[in-house]
Amino acid sequence: NADLNKRVFYMINDSLSLLQFTLKRLVFVNAAKHAYSELLLDQHLAMFGRNNNGKTASLAATKLLLFPEVNFRYCFQKFGFEGKDGQYDTEQSFRFYFPTLKSYIALEVENPSGTFTMVLFRAPSSEKSQNYAYHRAFIPLPYQEVRHLFWNEFEQDFAENLSTESL
């Protein structure tokens, strides 16, 4: 019985270790008042700027990445997005985070199984149907290996073929 208890303990412990995630990097491409920004989350981080310039909103974007939501409908109840003038509505929030079809929010995550990049992007049909939807893609690579899909480091400009199809 003691041997069985040990095996169950180690199985549970091994399973729980897979749930340990480290958020490493948050990337904005044409999103949340960023043209292109990378925030390193696994290091000390200080953000400076005037009020209402997107510092808190940038970090609040992690809610979009971590919550199991797929649209901005009822966004205040889901995300609690609020500014100095009160609650942000669905339209304001959607257009802030995904103003165009070339808007992306990426999160590099590490767990015991490896490192992956989750990318959020505006649903192509959301403009016409007003459903304020976004999709997510999981790429089993660290962000540095997919950065070229978003940003051309040599030109210091957006990737030439910046598109959801290129992902």
Side-chain angles (χ1 to χ4, degrees):
N1 203 13
D3 188 46
L4 177 61
N5 285 341
K6 278 185 183 177
R7 278 188 276 157
V8 168
F9 172 78
Y10 288 119
M11 284 183 356
I12 290 171
N13 220 16
D14 287 346
S15 297
L16 290 176
S17 73
L18 292 175
L19 297 176
Q20 295 175 1
F21 292 84
T22 301
L23 306 182
K24 297 181 64 81
R25 182 185 318 254
L26 181 61
V27 181
F28 295 95
V29 181
N30 294 322
K33 292 190 176 181
H34 297 263
Y36 181 87
S37 296
E38 292 185 32
L39 305 177
L40 301 177
L41 301 177
D42 61 345
Q43 300 178 12
H44 295 289
L45 173 67
M47 296 174 70
F48 300 95
R50 292 184 171 172
N51 287 343
N52 212 31
N53 268 351
K55 297 178 302 294
T56 301
S58 296
L59 295 176
T62 57
K63 293 177 182 180
L64 300 174
L65 292 146
L66 300 176
F67 291 6
E69 303 299 334
V70 295
N71 64 54
F72 280 85
R73 294 179 67 210
Y74 312 108
C75 75
F76 184 75
Q77 291 89 333
K78 293 178 185 180
F79 306 116
F81 293 152
E82 193 169 9
K84 66 178 183 176
D85 296 327
Q87 301 175 2
Y88 289 114
D89 67 20
T90 298
E91 181 82 24
Q92 290 171 308
S93 298
F94 181 71
R95 297 223 177 271
F96 179 78
Y97 286 106
F98 297 106
T100 75
L101 287 172
K102 293 188 177 207
S103 297
Y104 301 91
I105 303 172
L107 180 66
E108 181 183 39
V109 180
E110 183 178 71
N111 72 8
S113 296
T115 303
F116 64 91
T117 301
M118 181 189 339
V119 181
L120 299 184
F121 55 96
R122 183 178 181 161
S125 63
S126 62
E127 184 73 34
K128 296 175 192 146
S129 65
Q130 295 294 312
N131 66 1
Y132 307 105
Y134 59 93
H135 297 304
R136 51 177 50 81
F138 292 87
I139 304 170
L141 297 168
Y143 182 76
Q144 67 186 23
E145 293 186 36
V146 297
R147 181 184 288 123
H148 68 278
L149 299 172
F150 302 98
W151 187 250
N152 181 327
E153 291 182 72
F154 301 110
E155 301 287 327
Q156 290 295 296
D157 202 357
F158 298 105
E160 187 176 327
N161 296 321
L162 179 63
S163 68
T164 304
E165 290 78 25
S166 70
L167 295 179

